[in-house]
Amino acid sequence: MTATTAQTPVTAGGRVRPGAGLRQTATMAWRSLVAIKHNPLELVDYSITPIMFVFLFTYVLGGQMAGSPDVYLTYALPGIIVQNTLFMTTYTALALNTDLTKGVFDRLRSLPIARSAPLIGRITADLAKHVWAMLLMIGLGLALGFRITGGFGGFLAGALLLVVFAAAVSWAAVLIGMLAGDAEKVQAFGFTLIFPITFTSSAFVVVDTMPGWLQAWADVNPVTHLSDAYRGLLLGGEVGRPLMWSLVWAAGIAAFFYPLAMRAYRAKA
């Protein structure tokens, strides 16, 4: 009896105990991270693409947008990092869709683990990859002349804000990954949703330079609030209002997509 209980840490009602569920979630997260060793191309996606974004926006668009690559880097780097963070949530949808189509979830659900452990573990691992990409882009920006004038506290607060927002958007990615029939449809959904809202925000240009009708959208665009808040935290500017709205948007996105994503996940698992 004791040995069986130790091997299958469940309650009398058949549910996995919370402590065991947390350990199982951590194990699933570690599984996702260790998989990079067997698939180095995944690390390339998380590393090369952010580097390309920084170089292209700084040196191709910088002179036209701000008269100098250095000046534009100061404004655009926070927006580039925000854009990359949002685009990277597509990888969560792709990974979940791949696990579903290849039967990985079928094998995992046959194990005596919490049903949510594979899903939460995947999201947790992907958030760690978000942090890696952010640090890589910040490091490259510093090498190119960007300076964090908001101090170390602003840097940490900005990193936390990105992680919170990415975690909220990840639930939308989960829903897409569960409902899409294949990887191509996941990518189509991702670009259809993320591409327009990032380029119609203050991530790369000042909203006042847009046509009036587009300014109306940009002013309420969640990416505008997130970019302004993150930029303010890194550079020491105004953060109160954009930070508040960024958190409101994150809470709203999570509240809307979390139940839908979990319903779709339970239907699959």
Side-chain angles (χ1 to χ4, degrees), residues 165-177:
F165 206 92
V169 177
S170 292
W171 292 111
V174 168
L175 182 62
I176 292 172

Side-chain angles (χ1 to χ4, degrees), residues 9 13 20 70 113 117 249:
D70 293 337
I113 62 175
W249 269 107

Side-chain angles (χ1 to χ4, degrees), residues 62-266:
Q64 174 68 32
M65 302 296 288
S68 163
D70 293 337
V71 173
Y72 189 60
L73 178 66
T74 299
Y75 179 86
L77 182 61
I80 297 170
I81 295 174
V82 166
Q83 180 208 44
N84 187 68
T85 298
L86 295 177
F87 269 119
M88 282 176 60
T89 59
T90 305
Y91 293 141
T92 301
L94 284 169
L96 290 173
N97 185 266
T98 300
D99 284 349
L100 282 171
T101 55
K102 290 187 176 181
V104 174
F105 272 104
D106 289 336
R107 293 194 292 271
L108 291 176
R109 69 180 179 179
S110 67
L111 301 175
I113 62 175
R115 294 182 65 182
S116 63
L119 175 60
I120 306 299
R122 163 61 64 179
I123 293 175
T124 302
D126 287 346
L127 290 178
K129 296 171 187 176
H130 283 290
V131 174
W132 159 257
M134 180 204 66
L135 293 176
L136 186 64
M137 298 174 81
I138 286 288
L140 179 59
L142 292 175
L144 296 178
F146 182 83
R147 294 296 176 262
I148 302 176
T149 53
F152 188 64
F155 167 74
L156 290 180
L160 180 60
L161 175 63
L162 288 185
V163 169
V164 169
F165 206 92
V169 177
S170 292
W171 292 111
V174 168
L175 182 62
I176 292 172
M178 292 293 164
L179 298 181
D182 51 47
E184 288 75 15
K185 291 180 181 178
V186 171
Q187 291 177 321
F189 276 121
F191 278 94
T192 300
L193 293 173
I194 297 174
F195 190 87
I197 64 172
T198 54
F199 281 93
T200 56
S201 71
S202 66
F204 309 117
V205 298
V206 177
V207 172
D208 291 344
T209 63
M210 298 179 181
W213 61 269
L214 190 55
Q215 289 184 35
W217 157 247
D219 285 338
V220 298
N221 187 339
V223 182
T224 293
H225 299 304
L226 182 60
S227 299
D228 289 347
Y230 187 53
R231 186 179 293 115
L233 289 168
L234 289 183
L235 301 179
E238 173 62 34
V239 297
R241 186 174 182 274
L243 178 59
M244 178 195 70
W245 280 111
S246 296
L247 295 176
V248 168
W249 269 107
I253 292 170
F256 181 79
F257 284 104
Y258 173 78
L260 296 177
M262 290 304 297
R263 183 181 302 172
Y265 175 72
R266 292 190 184 101

Side-chain angles (χ1 to χ4, degrees), residues 2 15-16 30 33 147 175 193 212 259:
T2 303
R15 293 181 177 274
V16 176
W30 181 247
L33 293 174
R147 294 296 176 262
L175 182 62
L193 293 173

Side-chain angles (χ1 to χ4, degrees), residues 9 16-26:
V16 176
R17 293 190 175 91
L22 289 175
R23 291 193 297 271
Q24 293 157 3
T25 298

